[in-house]
């Protein structure tokens, strides 16, 4: 009954209401005034759409995974060309129609994506767009016009000579109209449009994602794109290596030689530019992926190496680091290096160290024959010899020497002991065994081999399980040990 009476009130030009009382008057009621004002305001689309823009800007909420939000740009130059992922809100005059590649929203998105004003846009993979639903935008504009009409009546209550009862009615209607617009806004601004590209040779198209859920507009867009894989806040190290190899993104320099490296800053730009790559939320995502790839369990196949730079004259990577924990950030000319290239430099360094070690040993063990001037021969204790005659008489027991065939004295010294065996042990960090093992090979093993030693290296592994080893680990370790021909491999029970 109440619903019907209010519908009758809304349609009747001369019907009035005060709580449960209804009556007719010769003077038109507020509903007719509001309707006339609504029709008039609805024809002023600029005013209506300005109100929509204000409300959408207020409804953004937090940024979600976006670095910035650009709301309602009038030209492509209003959207800066930056590497961080950003959200562009298109105006109500640029709605999106589902499955229409030529809708106003898609055309505007393509225009912004291709240009930053006077020059082409570089970082095309850093932008996504939110647009209104074309079939619903007209209803939203009508609801906004109704709200503005009631707001104008409340503002003009003195000139309209509204009594307290009618002034209260106008305020209630304004509040109701405001709620209607608030509920309709997220239903109308419900499309996020993301550029996509299958591969470099294919054209860029636009995929649409329907927004649902609670929260601000930017948050809902962020969540939906993450769920659909169109926005990546976390990139795995293995995925990064696959992209480096498959695209490929490695740089070949200098003079065409395959060094297979890439500057980290350049890699950031690649991911922000090429739409066929993952759309990263910010450069830090790539930095964390490099750190993960540096510690990949199967490092040679899935990981990368890191260098602070490349020295072109010597053809060497500077501060080269392999399979270890590091902290990566931008700037400074740092490089990501292919493991094969990094290992090749490491082996070359070991070879040079071996040659240098051999040379040092040869120089350190050289001897000189004959007497040094003014010293004479040395006895077995390193003391100068006294000749064939002593205080005890020629050839006598006190002479301190044995009689030679010619009657002269001959030195009888003890031989100097020589070191014939080396042994050493060192604990290796199991989290990054390769760098430390490489240093042991370079600085110890290669020196021993350079001196002609027969070197044996044994790796001993001890592992303790507080809760006992899982069965699948036991099976895998024993099988791998047999495959690698471990001389001794087994688990102990307690």
């Amino acid at each position: 009954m109440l619903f019907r009476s209010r519908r009758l009130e809304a349609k009747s030009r001369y019907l009035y209401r005060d709580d449960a009382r209804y009556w007719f008057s010769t003077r038109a009621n507020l509903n007719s005034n509001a309707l006339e004002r609504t029709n008039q305001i609805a024809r002023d689309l600029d005013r209506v759409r300005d109100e929509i823009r204000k409300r959408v800007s207020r409804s953004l909420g937090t940024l979600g995974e976006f670095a910035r939000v650009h709301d309602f740009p009038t030209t492509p130059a209003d959207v800066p060309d930056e590497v961080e992922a950003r959200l562009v809100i298109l105006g109500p005059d640029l709605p999106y129609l589902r499955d229409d590649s030529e809708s106003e929203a898609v055309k505007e998105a393509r225009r912004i994506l291709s240009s930053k004003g006077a020059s082409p846009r570089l970082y095309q993979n850093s932008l996504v767009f939110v647009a209104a639903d074309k079939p619903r935008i007209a209803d939203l504009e009508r609801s906004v016009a109704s709200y503005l009409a009631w707001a104008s009546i409340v503002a003009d209550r003195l000139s309209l000579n509204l009594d307290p009862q009618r002034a209260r009615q106008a305020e209630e209607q304004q509040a109701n109209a405001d709620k209607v617009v608030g509920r309709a806004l997220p239903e109308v601004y419900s499309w996020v449009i993301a550029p996509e590209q299958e591969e470099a040779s294919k054209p860029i198209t636009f995929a649409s994602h329907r927004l649902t859920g609670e929260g601000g507009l930017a948050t809902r867009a962020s969540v939906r794109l993450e769920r659909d894989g169109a926005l990546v806040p976390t990139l795995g190290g293995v995925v990064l290596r696959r992209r480096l190899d498959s695209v490929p993104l490695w740089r070949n320099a200098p003079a065409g030689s395959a060094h297979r490296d890439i500057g980290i800053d350049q890699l950031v730009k690649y991911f922000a530019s090429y739409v066929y790559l993952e759309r990263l939320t910010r450069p830090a995502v790539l930095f964390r992926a490099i750190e993960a790839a540096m510690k990949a369990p199967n490092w040679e196949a899935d990981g990368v190496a890191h260098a602070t730079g490349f020295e072109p004259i010597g053809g060497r990577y500077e501060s080269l680091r392999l399979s270890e924990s590091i902290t990566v950030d931008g700037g400074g000319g740092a490089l990501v290096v292919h493991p094969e290239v990094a290992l090749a430099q490491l082996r070359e360094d070991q070879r040079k160290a071996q040659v240098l070690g051999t040379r040092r040993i040869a120089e350190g063990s050289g001897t000189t024959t004959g007497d040094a001037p003014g010293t004479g021969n040395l006895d077995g204790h390193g003391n100068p010899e006294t000749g064939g005659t002593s205080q005890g008489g020629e050839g006598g027991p006190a002479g301190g020497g044995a009689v030679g065939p010619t009657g002269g004295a001959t030195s009888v010294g003890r031989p100097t002991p020589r070191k014939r065996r080396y042994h050493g042990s060192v604990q290796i960090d199991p989290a990054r065994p390769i760098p430390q093992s490489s240093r042991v090979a370079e600085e110890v093993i290669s020196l021993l081999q350079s001196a002609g030693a027969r070197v044996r290296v044994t790796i001993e592994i001890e592992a303790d399980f507080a809760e006992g080893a899982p069965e699948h680990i036991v099976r895998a370790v024993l099988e791998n040990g047999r495959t690698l021909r471990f001389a001794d491999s087994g688990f102990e029970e307690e």
Side-chain angles (χ1 to χ4, degrees), residues 7 59 93 157 161 219 229 270 303 359 368 385 394 424 426 441 459 472:
R7 286 188 61 188
S59 72
D93 55 323
R157 59 183 178 273
N161 195 25
T219 302
Y270 282 167
R359 187 178 303 157
T368 304
E385 291 183 348
E394 184 177 349
V426 63
I459 299 177
H472 70 283

Side-chain angles (χ1 to χ4, degrees), residues 31-196:
N31 289 331
S32 60
N33 192 336
L35 181 59
E36 291 174 358
R37 293 191 180 210
T38 298
N39 293 333
Q40 181 181 359
I41 294 173
R43 290 190 290 271
D44 187 359
L45 280 179
D46 289 341
R47 180 181 177 186
V48 172
R49 289 171 177 173
D50 283 344
E51 178 66 21
I52 293 176
R53 293 186 183 95
K54 292 177 183 177
R55 287 175 174 265
V56 171
S57 297
R58 291 198 301 265
S59 72
L60 290 175
T62 59
L63 297 179
E65 291 291 342
F66 297 108
R68 293 177 61 187
V69 175
H70 306 288
D71 46 350
F72 313 112
T74 56
T75 68
D78 294 335
V79 182
D81 199 13
E82 299 170 347
V83 297
E84 294 87 357
R86 286 155 297 133
L87 184 66
V88 179
I89 311 296
L90 301 180
D93 55 323
L94 300 167
Y96 174 74
L97 182 61
R98 188 170 192 171
D99 299 328
D100 183 3
S101 60
E102 296 301 319
S103 66
E104 293 92 331
V106 173
K107 289 180 179 179
E108 182 66 9
R110 187 178 293 115
R111 186 171 76 103
I112 294 175
L113 202 68
S114 63
S115 168
K116 58 181 179 180
S119 58
R121 186 174 298 276
L122 298 178
Y123 305 128
Q124 295 184 326
N125 201 32
S126 65
L127 297 180
V128 293
F129 304 85
V130 165
D133 186 32
K134 188 169 185 176
R136 298 185 180 184
I137 189 66
D139 291 340
L140 176 62
E141 290 173 345
R142 182 70 183 183
S143 297
V144 169
S146 176
Y147 163 77
L148 293 175
W150 283 109
S152 67
I153 290 175
V154 172
D156 296 342
R157 59 183 178 273
L158 294 179
S159 61
L160 293 173
N161 195 25
L162 299 183
D163 55 39
Q165 183 271 331
R166 291 204 301 165
R168 186 171 63 253
Q169 179 188 0
E171 291 171 353
E172 291 175 356
Q173 292 291 353
Q174 180 188 2
N176 291 336
D178 182 65
K179 292 178 181 178
V180 169
V181 173
R183 287 192 298 266
L185 201 62
E187 296 177 357
V188 175
Y189 267 87
S190 57
W191 290 106
V192 58
I193 307 168
E196 64 178 11

Side-chain angles (χ1 to χ4, degrees), residues 288 298 443 477:
R288 304 293 84 78
N298 190 11
E443 300 176 15
V477 170

Side-chain angles (χ1 to χ4, degrees), residues 15 54 124 127 183 185 243 250 274 319 372 386 391:
L15 178 64
K54 292 177 183 177
Q124 295 184 326
L127 297 180
R183 287 192 298 266
L185 201 62
R243 291 291 177 270
W250 299 113
Y274 301 143
S319 301
T386 58
Q391 294 179 354

